[in-house]
Amino acid sequence: MDASEILRRYSAGERDFHQIYLNRADLHQANLCEVNLAQAQFHEVNLSGANLGGAKLKEGFLMGTNLSGANLISADLSDSCLSGANLSETNLRGANLRDANLNEANLSGANLRGANLKGASLSGAKLIETSLQGANLEGAILAHAVLTRVILDKANLTHAILSGASLEEATLIGANLSQTNLTGASLRRANLRQASLRSANLSGVNLRSADLREATLYRANLRWVNLHQANLSDAVLIDANLSLANLQDANLTGANLSGAIIPQGMTRP
């Protein structure tokens, strides 16, 4: 089956194309709203600018597929392989990407508001200036991902793996990062106001000039963390481990450090 046949049959009212194989097909800006492409196999397919709103792409093999600028609102991409795919500027609002493989994918500028990314793998993915507001990233793997200036307000990142990730200037207001692994990540100038980092592992993290006002860091591991010029006013640091942390010029006004392990020579506020 080729692109022209799919478009002809779609225009005639057919919607079920599950398990099809497409090789180097050009479906640029095609209208395939609500199409069923579950378990489809795509090889070098161009779907840039295509309308795939509400499409079923569950368990699809879309490795390296060009979906830049496509409409995938509320699409089902669960368990799909999108490794190395181009999803830049793609609208994935409310999409289901649970357990999807997005390793090395380009999601820069994409809209993932309210998307379900629970258990998804995004190792090495690029999400520069991507909107993930309210997204579910519980248990997601984002090791060494580039999330510069990403919007993660109210996102669920519990148990996620963000080791070595770049979250510089990211916005995580009210985000849930409880028990998240952030070892070696960079959150320089990130906004974590009112975020929950309960029992999170932040060992070696760069939080220079970060906004952590009213954040909850109960029992968090902050060994070797760089908090130079960070704002921790009214933060909850009960039982947190701050040994060997850099707190030079940090604002700890009103912070609760009860039971916390603090650097040698530091005076509790």
Side-chain angles (χ1 to χ4, degrees):
M1 189 180 298
D2 58 19
S4 60
E5 184 179 353
I6 289 174
L7 294 174
R8 178 181 59 79
R9 288 164 62 173
Y10 183 90
S11 297
E14 189 172 345
R15 295 293 181 269
D16 189 1
F17 299 95
H18 76 284
Q19 295 184 330
I20 66 164
Y21 173 78
L22 280 178
N23 181 39
R24 298 179 180 176
D26 186 4
L27 289 162
H28 171 67
Q29 294 187 335
N31 180 20
L32 294 166
C33 184
E34 304 288 342
V35 71
N36 182 7
L37 291 164
Q39 299 179 332
Q41 293 191 51
F42 292 168
H43 176 66
E44 295 183 24
V45 174
N46 182 8
L47 282 159
S48 59
N51 181 7
L52 291 154
K56 296 178 180 65
L57 290 147
K58 181 180 174 68
E59 298 178 0
F61 185 83
L62 303 155
M63 186 175 179
T65 297
N66 184 3
L67 286 152
S68 59
N71 171 21
L72 284 156
I73 294 175
S74 300
D76 184 3
L77 290 141
S78 57
D79 297 296
S80 59
C81 178
L82 289 148
S83 178
N86 185 358
L87 291 147
S88 58
E89 306 294 334
T90 299
N91 193 342
L92 287 149
R93 182 165 48 88
N96 183 6
L97 287 147
R98 182 165 181 164
D99 297 320
N101 180 352
L102 289 149
N103 294 336
E104 307 293 336
N106 183 4
L107 289 141
S108 298
N111 182 355
L112 285 146
R113 288 192 177 192
N116 182 5
L117 285 146
K118 184 175 181 179
S121 182
L122 294 116
S123 293
K126 292 181 182 177
L127 295 102
I128 300 169
E129 298 182 350
T130 298
S131 176
L132 286 148
Q133 185 173 358
N136 182 6
L137 287 146
E138 181 183 352
I141 300 171
L142 291 139
H144 303 288
V146 181
L147 296 123
T148 308
R149 294 184 296 278
V150 71
I151 299 172
L152 282 156
D153 295 349
K154 303 289 185 182
N156 180 9
L157 287 147
T158 55
H159 300 285
I161 297 173
L162 285 149
S163 53
S166 175
L167 288 138
E168 298 198 356
E169 300 181 31
T171 305
L172 297 116
I173 299 172
N176 189 351
L177 293 125
S178 299
Q179 300 182 60
T180 298
N181 183 353
L182 286 147
T183 54
S186 180
L187 287 128
R188 189 167 55 97
R189 292 197 296 271
N191 188 343
L192 290 144
R193 188 171 184 177
Q194 297 179 337
S196 175
L197 291 138
R198 295 172 67 94
S199 301
N201 188 350
L202 293 136
S203 180
V205 169
N206 183 4
L207 281 158
R208 179 169 180 151
S209 302
D211 186 351
L212 288 146
R213 285 175 291 168
E214 303 174 70
T216 300
L217 292 133
Y218 174 72
R219 289 189 175 177
N221 180 6
L222 293 151
R223 280 177 58 85
W224 294 103
V225 71
N226 183 4
L227 286 158
H228 183 213
Q229 296 182 333
N231 190 345
L232 289 147
S233 59
D234 299 313
V236 178
L237 290 145
I238 297 171
D239 295 334
N241 186 351
L242 285 151
S243 59
L244 304 172
N246 178 4
L247 288 156
Q248 184 182 356
D249 298 323
N251 182 357
L252 288 156
T253 306
N256 189 340
L257 286 152
S258 299
I261 302 172
I262 60 176
Q264 189 174 9
M266 174 187 165
T267 303
R268 293 179 186 273

PDB file of all heavy atoms in Angstrom, residues 28 70 95-96 126 132 135 149 175 180-181 184 186 234 246 250:
ATOM      1  N   HIS A  28       2.733  14.265   3.774  1.00  0.00           N
ATOM      2  CA  HIS A  28       2.893  15.622   4.255  1.00  0.00           C
ATOM      3  C   HIS A  28       1.561  16.368   4.198  1.00  0.00           C
ATOM      4  O   HIS A  28       0.898  16.404   3.158  1.00  0.00           O
ATOM      5  CB  HIS A  28       3.942  16.330   3.386  1.00  0.00           C
ATOM      6  CG  HIS A  28       4.065  17.795   3.633  1.00  0.00           C
ATOM      7  ND1 HIS A  28       4.542  18.309   4.816  1.00  0.00           N
ATOM      8  CD2 HIS A  28       3.771  18.855   2.834  1.00  0.00           C
ATOM      9  CE1 HIS A  28       4.549  19.628   4.737  1.00  0.00           C
ATOM     10  NE2 HIS A  28       4.086  19.984   3.553  1.00  0.00           N
ATOM     11  N   ALA A  70       2.875  18.207  13.176  1.00  0.00           N
ATOM     12  CA  ALA A  70       1.646  17.426  12.996  1.00  0.00           C
ATOM     13  C   ALA A  70       0.661  17.666  14.138  1.00  0.00           C
ATOM     14  O   ALA A  70       1.041  18.066  15.236  1.00  0.00           O
ATOM     15  CB  ALA A  70       1.972  15.942  12.897  1.00  0.00           C
ATOM     16  N   ALA A  95      -2.387  13.613  24.461  1.00  0.00           N
ATOM     17  CA  ALA A  95      -2.058  12.350  23.794  1.00  0.00           C
ATOM     18  C   ALA A  95      -1.649  11.279  24.808  1.00  0.00           C
ATOM     19  O   ALA A  95      -1.160  11.584  25.892  1.00  0.00           O
ATOM     20  CB  ALA A  95      -0.946  12.555  22.776  1.00  0.00           C
ATOM     21  N   ASN A  96      -1.851  10.027  24.432  1.00  0.00           N
ATOM     22  CA  ASN A  96      -1.451   8.897  25.273  1.00  0.00           C
ATOM     23  C   ASN A  96      -0.133   8.347  24.753  1.00  0.00           C
ATOM     24  O   ASN A  96      -0.086   7.717  23.700  1.00  0.00           O
ATOM     25  CB  ASN A  96      -2.528   7.816  25.262  1.00  0.00           C
ATOM     26  CG  ASN A  96      -2.189   6.647  26.186  1.00  0.00           C
ATOM     27  OD1 ASN A  96      -1.197   6.688  26.922  1.00  0.00           O
ATOM     28  ND2 ASN A  96      -3.003   5.614  26.155  1.00  0.00           N
ATOM     29  N   LYS A 126      15.237  15.547  23.024  1.00  0.00           N
ATOM     30  CA  LYS A 126      15.316  17.003  23.077  1.00  0.00           C
ATOM     31  C   LYS A 126      13.909  17.575  23.241  1.00  0.00           C
ATOM     32  O   LYS A 126      13.035  17.331  22.417  1.00  0.00           O
ATOM     33  CB  LYS A 126      15.953  17.549  21.788  1.00  0.00           C
ATOM     34  CG  LYS A 126      17.418  17.194  21.627  1.00  0.00           C
ATOM     35  CD  LYS A 126      17.982  17.774  20.355  1.00  0.00           C
ATOM     36  CE  LYS A 126      19.452  17.382  20.171  1.00  0.00           C
ATOM     37  NZ  LYS A 126      19.996  17.881  18.895  1.00  0.00           N
ATOM     38  N   LEU A 132       4.892  20.882  28.829  1.00  0.00           N
ATOM     39  CA  LEU A 132       4.451  19.627  29.444  1.00  0.00           C
ATOM     40  C   LEU A 132       3.608  19.925  30.673  1.00  0.00           C
ATOM     41  O   LEU A 132       3.548  19.143  31.614  1.00  0.00           O
ATOM     42  CB  LEU A 132       5.666  18.775  29.831  1.00  0.00           C
ATOM     43  CG  LEU A 132       6.406  18.083  28.681  1.00  0.00           C
ATOM     44  CD1 LEU A 132       7.887  17.971  28.984  1.00  0.00           C
ATOM     45  CD2 LEU A 132       5.818  16.702  28.418  1.00  0.00           C
ATOM     46  N   ALA A 135       1.408  17.313  32.576  1.00  0.00           N
ATOM     47  CA  ALA A 135       1.643  15.995  31.973  1.00  0.00           C
ATOM     48  C   ALA A 135       1.967  14.953  33.044  1.00  0.00           C
ATOM     49  O   ALA A 135       2.493  15.263  34.107  1.00  0.00           O
ATOM     50  CB  ALA A 135       2.779  16.070  30.970  1.00  0.00           C
ATOM     51  N   ARG A 149      14.396  25.261  29.298  1.00  0.00           N
ATOM     52  CA  ARG A 149      13.229  26.161  29.258  1.00  0.00           C
ATOM     53  C   ARG A 149      11.911  25.421  29.047  1.00  0.00           C
ATOM     54  O   ARG A 149      10.939  25.982  28.537  1.00  0.00           O
ATOM     55  CB  ARG A 149      13.422  27.258  28.204  1.00  0.00           C
ATOM     56  CG  ARG A 149      14.548  28.229  28.532  1.00  0.00           C
ATOM     57  CD  ARG A 149      14.646  29.355  27.514  1.00  0.00           C
ATOM     58  NE  ARG A 149      14.985  28.868  26.174  1.00  0.00           N
ATOM     59  CZ  ARG A 149      16.206  28.585  25.769  1.00  0.00           C
ATOM     60  NH1 ARG A 149      17.233  28.731  26.602  1.00  0.00           N
ATOM     61  NH2 ARG A 149      16.451  28.157  24.552  1.00  0.00           N
ATOM     62  N   ALA A 175       5.201  21.339  40.554  1.00  0.00           N
ATOM     63  CA  ALA A 175       5.407  19.989  40.000  1.00  0.00           C
ATOM     64  C   ALA A 175       5.684  18.992  41.126  1.00  0.00           C
ATOM     65  O   ALA A 175       6.196  19.340  42.185  1.00  0.00           O
ATOM     66  CB  ALA A 175       6.560  19.997  39.016  1.00  0.00           C
ATOM     67  N   THR A 180      12.129  11.321  42.851  1.00  0.00           N
ATOM     68  CA  THR A 180      12.717  11.406  41.510  1.00  0.00           C
ATOM     69  C   THR A 180      14.243  11.370  41.594  1.00  0.00           C
ATOM     70  O   THR A 180      14.834  11.915  42.519  1.00  0.00           O
ATOM     71  CB  THR A 180      12.252  12.702  40.820  1.00  0.00           C
ATOM     72  OG1 THR A 180      10.834  12.659  40.681  1.00  0.00           O
ATOM     73  CG2 THR A 180      12.878  12.858  39.450  1.00  0.00           C
ATOM     74  N   ASN A 181      14.866  10.729  40.631  1.00  0.00           N
ATOM     75  CA  ASN A 181      16.330  10.668  40.565  1.00  0.00           C
ATOM     76  C   ASN A 181      16.828  11.774  39.646  1.00  0.00           C
ATOM     77  O   ASN A 181      16.672  11.710  38.430  1.00  0.00           O
ATOM     78  CB  ASN A 181      16.776   9.299  40.044  1.00  0.00           C
ATOM     79  CG  ASN A 181      18.290   9.145  40.033  1.00  0.00           C
ATOM     80  OD1 ASN A 181      19.023  10.092  40.283  1.00  0.00           O
ATOM     81  ND2 ASN A 181      18.762   7.954  39.730  1.00  0.00           N
ATOM     82  N   GLY A 184      23.160  14.613  39.277  1.00  0.00           N
ATOM     83  CA  GLY A 184      23.988  15.197  38.228  1.00  0.00           C
ATOM     84  C   GLY A 184      23.246  16.054  37.235  1.00  0.00           C
ATOM     85  O   GLY A 184      23.835  16.521  36.259  1.00  0.00           O
ATOM     86  N   SER A 186      21.207  19.425  35.718  1.00  0.00           N
ATOM     87  CA  SER A 186      21.400  20.871  35.821  1.00  0.00           C
ATOM     88  C   SER A 186      20.041  21.561  35.812  1.00  0.00           C
ATOM     89  O   SER A 186      19.278  21.446  34.849  1.00  0.00           O
ATOM     90  CB  SER A 186      22.247  21.407  34.661  1.00  0.00           C
ATOM     91  OG  SER A 186      22.408  22.815  34.793  1.00  0.00           O
ATOM     92  N   ASP A 234      11.227  29.958  52.965  1.00  0.00           N
ATOM     93  CA  ASP A 234      10.023  29.212  53.350  1.00  0.00           C
ATOM     94  C   ASP A 234       9.992  27.786  52.802  1.00  0.00           C
ATOM     95  O   ASP A 234       8.936  27.148  52.758  1.00  0.00           O
ATOM     96  CB  ASP A 234       8.745  29.956  52.923  1.00  0.00           C
ATOM     97  CG  ASP A 234       8.628  31.327  53.585  1.00  0.00           C
ATOM     98  OD1 ASP A 234       8.826  31.403  54.804  1.00  0.00           O
ATOM     99  OD2 ASP A 234       8.346  32.310  52.874  1.00  0.00           O
ATOM    100  N   ASN A 246      26.773  23.567  48.462  1.00  0.00           N
ATOM    101  CA  ASN A 246      27.223  24.950  48.323  1.00  0.00           C
ATOM    102  C   ASN A 246      26.016  25.865  48.527  1.00  0.00           C
ATOM    103  O   ASN A 246      25.142  25.946  47.671  1.00  0.00           O
ATOM    104  CB  ASN A 246      27.830  25.167  46.937  1.00  0.00           C
ATOM    105  CG  ASN A 246      28.277  26.615  46.726  1.00  0.00           C
ATOM    106  OD1 ASN A 246      28.207  27.448  47.632  1.00  0.00           O
ATOM    107  ND2 ASN A 246      28.737  26.918  45.527  1.00  0.00           N
ATOM    108  N   ALA A 250      22.846  31.828  49.381  1.00  0.00           N
ATOM    109  CA  ALA A 250      21.487  31.281  49.252  1.00  0.00           C
ATOM    110  C   ALA A 250      20.562  31.978  50.247  1.00  0.00           C
ATOM    111  O   ALA A 250      20.977  32.352  51.346  1.00  0.00           O
ATOM    112  CB  ALA A 250      21.493  29.783  49.492  1.00  0.00           C
TER     113      ALA A 250
END
